[in-house]
Amino acid sequence: MKTDAKLMIKGSWNEAKGKLKQKYADLTDDDLLYEEGKEDELLGRLQRKLGKSIDDVKDEINSL
């Protein structure tokens, strides 16, 4: 298990958010609310909603 994975949002968050909403239709704007410095809150919401590990969520966002 990786514990040092970092969240790297490439380009605009709005673009990444759109891709996530296309892939996971049940995600809401509130689920995808991103505030600088509050990445952990975003990751926690997505982890709960998607049923994935934090590292899996980070990897998915980083691959967008």
Side-chain angles (χ1 to χ4, degrees), residues 26-44:
D26 58 337
L27 289 178
T28 66
D29 285 334
D30 285 342
D31 294 329
L32 294 165
L33 181 63
Y34 170 72
E35 294 180 49
E36 196 164 332
K38 296 191 176 183
E39 292 86 357
D40 290 343
E41 289 179 18
L42 168 68
L43 292 170

Side-chain angles (χ1 to χ4, degrees), residues 8 10 19 23 58-64:
M8 304 284 189
K10 298 177 191 161
K19 290 178 183 178
K23 187 168 182 178
K58 287 178 187 177
D59 289 343
E60 178 133 11
I61 292 171
N62 292 341
S63 72
L64 297 176

Side-chain angles (χ1 to χ4, degrees), residues 2 4 20 24 30 33 42 45 50-53 56 58:
K2 294 182 289 180
D4 60 348
L20 287 168
Y24 302 104
D30 285 342
L33 181 63
L42 168 68
R45 284 193 303 273
L50 301 177
K52 297 182 176 214
S53 74
D56 287 344
K58 287 178 187 177

